Amino acid sequence: MRVHNFGAGPCTLPLAVLEEARAEFLDFAGSGMSLTEMSHRSDAYAEVHTAALDRARRVALLPDDFEVLLLQGGATLQFAMAPMNLLGPGASAGYVVAGAWGSKALASARKVGVAYSAWDGAESGYRRMPSPDEIRVDEGTRYLHVTTNETIGGIRMVMLPKPGTPLVADMSSEYLVRPIDWSRYDLVYGGVQKNLGPSGLALVFVRRSAIGDGTNLPDYLDYRWHMASESLGNTPAMFQVYLMGKILTRIEERGGIETLESEAEARASLLYGAIDESGGFYSSPVETAVRSLTNVVFRLPTPQLESAFLAEAERRHLVGLQGHRSVGGCRASLYAALDIESVAALVEHMAAFQMGAG
Ligand code: PMP
């Protein structure tokens, strides 16, 4: 039995990919061993690794002057590596803080360089995104950092900051379900454990000309070191790379980002529709225009009803619906591998629960 998994990450992955991985788990490509037992310098792994890099490049429609890196340390390490590699002496970085993740990114950047808040939505309770006019860009700003989708607050940046300053983006929770206008970015990164694979891997796209010389950085923290070795400078997260490669293959075969985006819109509109049509029993706390397509946050009239709703959901095999521990309420994460049938099952549960409570 497979549950309907609305977890915020790690989360549901494509069943066909899990089955394929199970079938070849003990004996990978006729090698007589599992991929997890294999040297990362073997030909068999080299093929997996290179194919995953190529696949990521193709699915992201990445221009040639960008590099793809497969790094450990999740998105969190990128909170530090981005300023370490991009901020030269005398330069600063502006951070658009629209939620918990943007706030963490700024806190890390401040420890390694000069970083400032270009906008902070704390006073709105992180329920909205800034209009481009509200974003402050100081003189000498090397890049503006944005979190295009705030996973906890459930909001997404619909309007990017004004052109002029290169963007650095954490796209973890909407990775490759949203088209990327590469002319605006120097760096895009994200943990893959939502749309693209298991945890333990960050997929990083960086414009080669944007990177400093990195002379003072320890190897692992230096983008150049990873670029020179095609992300094989040390032992990579092999199993993660392998699974991500399979998932990207599937994404490419099914039509790429465009398909993922329209599927995400269909899932989100089904669920927001149910919230909006519930006569206020279910409510979305965020500004309508910036509702996330992938993390749908909603409330019920009381915390008691929320607990009962979640308990009953579990009984119906609808799992992972608890809001983040810092904000409570409910949150359904609708990532790329979630079938629309799972959303339909949730909507059905919502209607039945409301009826029972009324
Ligand atoms: N950024 C965003 C937007 C996230 O949602 C998360 C994790 N939920 C992170 C960063 C941190 O990612 P990791 O756990 O891979 O370091």
Side-chain angles (χ1 to χ4, degrees):
M1 200 260 324
R2 300 261 301 163
V3 296
H4 300 289
N5 183 352
F6 297 92
C11 58
T12 193
L13 295 177
L15 179 59
V17 167
L18 297 179
E19 284 172 338
E20 213 177 289
R22 180 177 62 181
E24 56 195 29
F25 189 68
L26 293 181
D27 181 4
F28 181 73
S31 63
M33 62 177 122
S34 170
L35 181 104
T36 57
E37 300 172 301
M38 191 172 275
S39 165
H40 62 294
R41 304 289 173 203
S42 61
D43 290 345
Y45 180 71
E47 211 171 290
V48 167
H49 191 89
T50 310
L53 287 171
D54 291 348
R55 216 45 102 167
R57 177 175 284 282
R58 287 209 299 275
V59 173
L61 305 173
L62 196 69
D64 288 342
D65 57 334
F66 276 75
E67 198 75 29
V68 186
L69 305 176
L70 302 173
L71 305 180
Q72 297 178 54
T76 300
L77 185 56
Q78 296 313 305
F79 292 166
M81 281 178 78
M84 280 174 173
N85 283 270
L86 265 49
L87 278 186
S92 66
Y95 278 67
V96 177
V97 180
W101 294 108
S103 170
K104 283 180 205 271
L106 172 58
S108 273
R110 279 188 165 136
K111 291 181 184 168
V112 301
V114 181
Y116 66 92
S117 165
W119 182 81
D120 194 312
E123 80 208 28
S124 81
Y126 293 130
R127 285 168 187 187
R128 69 178 193 95
M129 282 282 178
S131 73
D133 285 332
E134 292 175 285
I135 298 170
R136 179 188 121 206
V137 185
D138 290 356
E139 188 111 349
T141 298
R142 168 68 188 79
Y143 66 80
L144 264 181
H145 181 282
V146 294
T147 310
T148 60
N149 186 80
E150 280 286 352
T151 320
I152 296 174
I155 54 174
R156 89 192 282 247
M157 183 170 257
V158 179
M159 272 191 295
L160 291 178
K162 287 183 196 155
T165 313
L167 300 178
V168 167
D170 173 2
M171 293 199 181
S172 297
S173 46
E174 59 167 14
Y175 223 0
L176 304 185
V177 303
R178 169 193 185 118
I180 303 171
D181 172 2
W182 290 106
S183 71
R184 302 293 317 277
Y185 297 95
D186 272 359
L187 173 69
V188 169
Y189 66 88
V192 306
Q193 68 271 23
K194 297 161 198 303
N195 286 326
L196 305 175
S199 65
L201 183 64
L203 177 60
V204 177
F205 299 110
V206 61
R207 188 188 293 277
R208 273 183 218 107
S209 63
I211 306 174
D213 64 21
T215 42
N216 290 321
L217 293 174
D219 288 347
Y220 203 89
L221 302 177
D222 185 351
Y223 287 142
R224 285 186 183 272
W225 188 74
H226 296 288
M227 265 162 55
S229 62
E230 305 204 318
S231 303
L232 274 167
N234 69 331
T235 320
M238 294 166 64
F239 193 70
Q240 282 81 348
V241 172
Y242 155 81
L243 272 191
M244 183 190 73
K246 283 192 187 296
I247 290 170
L248 286 171
T249 302
R250 206 179 115 87
I251 291 173
E252 191 176 29
E253 285 168 1
R254 296 178 61 247
I257 292 184
E258 234 175 86
T259 303
L260 292 196
E261 187 183 34
S262 65
E263 289 176 353
E265 284 166 353
R267 281 187 290 262
S269 73
L270 182 55
L271 184 48
Y272 285 119
I275 292 168
D276 292 342
E277 284 155 24
S278 70
F281 185 78
Y282 300 103
S283 60
S284 158
V286 305
E287 227 178 55
T288 313
V290 297
R291 285 171 166 181
S292 169
L293 297 183
T294 41
N295 306 105
V296 178
V297 171
F298 59 98
R299 309 290 319 213
L300 278 74
T302 65
Q304 292 73 20
L305 280 169
E306 281 168 352
S307 302
F309 172 83
L310 291 169
E312 181 57 26
E314 292 263 345
R315 271 194 291 282
R316 291 172 167 239
H317 310 299
L318 301 155
V319 308
L321 286 165
Q322 189 118 36
H324 189 269
R325 59 187 186 278
S326 62
V327 291
C330 304
R331 171 178 57 173
S333 293
L334 314 178
Y335 292 129
L338 187 81
D339 291 330
I340 190 115
E341 288 74 23
S342 291
V343 187
L346 172 58
V347 165
E348 211 179 289
H349 167 53
M350 290 166 73
F353 185 81
Q354 183 176 359
M355 197 112 83

